[in-house]
Amino acid sequence: MTARRMHLVAYLKTGPTANHPGAWRHPEAALDDIFDPGRYEHIARVLEDARFDACFYADTFGLPDIHGGNFDAYLRMGGQISYLDPLVVLPVMARVTKHLGLGATLSTTLLHPYWIARTLASLDLLSGGRMAWNIVTSATDLEARNFGMDGIPGKEERYDRAEEVVAACNALWESWDEGAIVADREGGVFVDPTKVRYTNFEGRYVRTRGPLAMPRTPQVRPVFMQAGSSDRGRDFAARWAELVFCTPHTMADGIAFTSDLKARMAKFDRAPQDCKVLPSFMTVIGETQAIAQEKYEYLQSLIDPDAQRMLNSALMGVDLSKVASPEEMRARQGNQGIVGSQDRVLQVMRQEGIGFQDAVAKPRSLLVGTPATIADTLEEWFTAGACDGFIITPTVHPRMFEEFCRLVVPELQRRGLFRREYAGATLRENLARA
């Protein structure tokens, strides 16, 4: 048995696909229940029964139209689209669970801190302290234009604003003291006003008077998630994040990223264990290696040749069908693009010795094997210091999660690498006491 245990978080979308551009075409993929609350109740129960720390919904505030200059391909080939606002389905999932953490993606560039703080506090109260905020600065002009802006600001300005938005939200969440609601029927006092105060936050980019019109929540603030891989993004994570989502191509890349991030935390007076680094894996599981390989080959055959390039165009903020090199990509991007996605493509080029166009068209690597061999790989990454656990991203939904929870999780538990029961009442407590 090991004293250190890994964390597991599920990556979800309110749509037919997430990262694997062909999985929605699989005959076992659920497509007709996207607007049925039962879809979200089911996956929440599956993940909680397996003792996952949390799930979170990735989200883009718009319909990508970068590839080919329009949204035709993204719609036709089933790109990563949020067909429902995740904030609508999270309460549905909270209602049928007691321990599973629930994460929402909200943009500090597009949304005001009062709205963010109010929404997440409401959900934290309703869930009994299980909310997480996946903090993004957004990275595409299309999202900015949907919110009335001419285009997305530069990265430095976005992170400067993000620092203020998070600080303002923290001040709002602290605007009520513990025990402010006294509900004294005989004395005629419902809330003690001496325990509520104005926030009066004023920065360069945002200001808010406060206070919130709701009490302090079980966690006070939601767990902070973040996925920035740029130098500025890593500093932001080192200051604020409690969970970091990353996509390294190899274990060596994972070790380098984790080591760098945790070293940065010292200048913000944070201990390395205060932030959990979780790389993303998609799995294909079979009773034997041969069966797993056959399932993998069929799954990959469902990918349209241009679908991965289309997906990467949305992530990198440039039409990759018209770009021949990393240098040309950077020249065309302007302020758009996610550095972590760019880094992964460059890692693929370096590790596999292939050109840029081949790399951007290459589907993400999948972890293919039996429950034991998949657990072997996860254990190797975990014990080598490449991570603190994993983001599990679906291929065929919900089958892949069902198989992972039924087959791989018990193997990890048998090895003493993963919890058998939840240790805390809130998400933050479960992250601290795995």
Side-chain angles (χ1 to χ4, degrees):
M1 297 286 289
T2 177
R4 180 171 172 260
R5 291 180 178 171
M6 65 178 61
H7 300 273
L8 295 177
V9 173
Y11 178 112
L12 299 173
K13 294 284 289 188
T14 59
T17 189
N19 281 327
H20 191 289
W24 69 272
R25 301 176 61 193
H26 195 284
E28 294 187 37
L31 300 179
D32 59 358
D33 63 348
I34 292 172
F35 306 111
D36 183 346
R39 176 186 179 100
Y40 306 99
E41 293 173 343
H42 172 70
I43 195 62
R45 289 188 179 107
V46 167
L47 296 171
E48 180 162 272
D49 287 347
R51 307 299 188 259
F52 265 55
D53 291 79
C55 62
F56 80 100
Y57 279 93
D59 198 15
T60 299
F61 297 91
L63 190 59
D65 59 358
I66 295 170
H67 192 76
N70 56 58
F71 47 65
D72 295 6
Y74 216 80
L75 289 172
R76 186 176 62 255
M77 292 190 285
Q80 290 194 82
I81 299 171
S82 297
Y83 287 91
L84 287 173
D85 186 335
L87 292 174
V88 174
V89 305
L90 287 169
V92 172
M93 299 169 76
R95 185 70 175 168
V96 298
T97 54
K98 294 181 179 179
H99 302 282
L100 181 71
L102 304 163
T105 298
L106 298 174
S107 172
T108 56
T109 301
L110 307 177
L111 302 172
H112 191 275
Y114 192 92
W115 184 91
I116 293 172
R118 182 174 188 260
T119 300
L120 292 176
S122 298
L123 290 168
D124 204 54
L125 286 162
L126 287 174
S127 66
R130 294 187 281 137
M131 280 306 297
W133 175 15
N134 181 34
I135 304 170
V136 298
T137 64
S138 296
T140 59
D141 289 338
L142 69 95
E143 293 176 281
R145 289 167 184 156
N146 286 339
F147 284 80
M149 303 164 66
D150 293 330
I152 201 75
K155 184 178 293 294
E156 290 301 314
E157 179 180 334
R158 297 203 308 269
Y159 274 108
D160 286 345
R161 179 185 171 92
E163 297 278 0
E164 288 190 8
V165 170
V166 174
C169 285
N170 280 333
L172 288 164
W173 289 319
E174 295 277 0
S175 61
W176 286 55
D177 290 338
E178 188 71 32
I181 295 182
V182 294
D184 181 358
R185 297 176 192 269
E186 293 184 3
V189 177
F190 187 71
V191 176
D192 180 352
T194 67
K195 293 187 175 183
V196 182
R197 70 194 62 82
Y198 289 108
T199 301
N200 292 324
F201 181 93
E202 187 161 353
R204 177 183 177 189
Y205 297 96
V206 298
R207 60 181 178 177
T208 179
R209 188 184 71 159
L212 289 179
M214 59 192 58
R216 182 173 292 230
T217 77
Q219 294 189 119
V220 182
R221 68 180 193 184
V223 167
F224 291 161
M225 296 182 62
Q226 205 260 348
S229 293
S230 67
D231 186 66
R232 183 67 190 275
R234 295 187 193 201
D235 272 347
F236 184 87
R239 179 180 181 185
W240 297 110
E242 297 164 86
L243 282 176
V244 166
F245 165 39
C246 58
T247 57
H249 184 55
T250 67
M251 188 170 72
D253 295 322
I255 292 172
F257 178 87
T258 299
S259 299
D260 176 70
L261 179 62
K262 299 211 172 194
R264 293 172 186 245
M265 294 175 67
K267 65 183 176 183
F268 299 105
D269 295 321
R270 300 183 68 204
Q273 63 268 23
D274 291 341
C275 180
K276 315 299 182 185
V277 178
L278 279 60
S280 171
F281 274 102
M282 291 184 281
T283 63
V284 177
I285 306 165
E287 293 82 355
T288 67
Q289 191 69 35
I291 291 173
Q293 186 65 29
E294 184 178 353
K295 290 169 69 174
Y296 166 77
E297 290 172 2
Y298 175 67
L299 183 63
Q300 297 302 84
S301 75
L302 301 175
I303 301 176
D304 185 291
D306 199 37
Q308 188 65 46
R309 188 179 286 109
M310 171 203 71
L311 178 59
N312 279 329
S313 292
L315 294 172
M316 298 184 196
V318 65
D319 187 349
L320 294 172
S321 66
K322 300 177 180 179
V323 173
S325 68
E327 293 74 22
E328 187 179 352
M329 174 188 69
R330 296 188 188 101
R332 287 173 175 256
Q333 280 175 318
N335 293 329
Q336 300 188 95
I338 299 172
V339 171
S341 297
Q342 299 170 29
D343 287 347
R344 186 183 60 80
V345 167
L346 297 176
Q347 290 165 7
V348 170
M349 292 175 64
R350 182 179 68 251
Q351 294 291 333
E352 301 188 18
I354 59 178
F356 179 76
Q357 273 297 324
D358 288 335
V360 297
K362 185 179 177 65
R364 284 184 55 185
S365 298
L366 277 68
L367 189 51
V368 181
T370 66
T373 61
I374 287 174
D376 288 342
T377 299
L378 300 182
E379 181 175 8
E380 182 183 15
W381 280 58
F382 181 67
T383 57
C387 61
D388 298 293
F390 303 93
I391 301 286
I392 304 300
T393 302
T395 53
V396 180
H397 181 92
R399 191 192 75 179
M400 194 213 78
F401 282 125
E402 293 168 342
E403 291 179 339
F404 186 92
C405 291
R406 187 177 69 252
L407 301 171
V408 178
V409 167
E411 180 64 22
L412 295 172
Q413 291 170 331
R414 186 186 67 78
R415 301 180 189 197
L417 293 168
F418 189 64
R419 68 167 66 87
R420 293 183 181 273
E421 296 296 339
Y422 291 102
T426 68
L427 173 56
R428 184 169 286 110
E429 288 171 351
N430 283 319
L431 289 172
R433 299 157 53 190

